[in-house]
Amino acid sequence: MTWQADTWVTRLELVKQWYQEKGSLDIPQDTVVDGVWIGKWIVMQKKYLELGKLSREQEAMLSELPLEQVSRKDKSQGAWLQMYQDAVDYAKTHGSLKKIPPEYCGKSGKQLNAWVRRQRAAREKGRLSKEQCQMLDMIGSTRKPGLASAEPVSSVAEAVNA
């Protein structure tokens, strides 16, 4: 076994140990165990597996783990949707997303004002999906005139809660 393969196996063993102890492969990306970085590593192994970039031996070793639990994108999308729901709730209650107090936190427990500002900046830089832009437009999160939907906020909230 080469040094690189030995490191791969060491990381896999640490991930297996994590799974046995915690019952989950939801490992924060910056996690280091015994001086070995495993969080981002397991996410990358799943990606390499999907792309067919692992050896058969590596595939066999990874098959012992429930890799369907490993999805940073899904987790990220879930967090985005949770904040979006906070924005829908706020817009429904207050009529718009204008003048959100900086300290206001929705059910997510995170500051909505900062999140809305980040979404506006991400949109301007082209970092949001078309669907995210459309969803934000439906609740009037944009400051650009003419982009917000005429659809009432209450019907958007009903669609999100459905």
Side-chain angles (χ1 to χ4, degrees), residues 19-132:
Y19 178 69
Q20 289 171 351
E21 291 173 7
K22 311 245 186 220
S24 170
L25 288 177
D26 188 20
I27 305 171
Q29 289 193 28
D30 60 351
T31 300
V32 175
V33 176
D34 296 334
V36 179
W37 172 55
I38 64 168
K40 179 74 173 174
W41 180 84
I42 191 62
V43 173
M44 294 307 299
Q45 297 317 300
K46 181 179 179 186
K47 183 170 187 85
Y48 294 151
L49 182 64
E50 290 169 356
L51 295 172
K53 292 188 174 189
L54 297 176
S55 70
R56 286 194 176 127
E57 182 183 10
Q58 288 171 321
E59 287 179 13
M61 288 189 259
L62 282 173
S63 71
E64 299 171 21
L65 294 170
L67 292 177
E68 63 277 357
Q69 287 187 3
V70 181
S71 178
R72 294 287 173 233
K73 185 176 181 182
D74 291 345
K75 188 174 180 179
S76 175
Q77 181 66 10
W80 192 92
L81 288 172
Q82 187 176 24
M83 288 302 298
Y84 177 76
Q85 182 61 55
D86 284 352
V88 168
D89 293 344
Y90 187 91
K92 184 177 178 183
T93 302
H94 297 89
S96 75
L97 293 175
K98 295 178 182 176
K99 300 182 183 177
I100 302 169
E103 67 281 354
Y104 177 83
C105 295
K107 292 178 185 175
S108 68
K110 297 184 179 171
Q111 293 178 329
L112 182 60
N113 184 304
W115 183 81
V116 169
R117 282 187 283 117
R118 284 193 306 273
Q119 299 318 299
R120 288 175 180 151
R123 179 188 193 135
E124 286 180 17
K125 294 178 181 176
R127 294 184 180 156
L128 294 180
S129 70
K130 182 179 178 182
E131 293 78 20
Q132 288 172 321

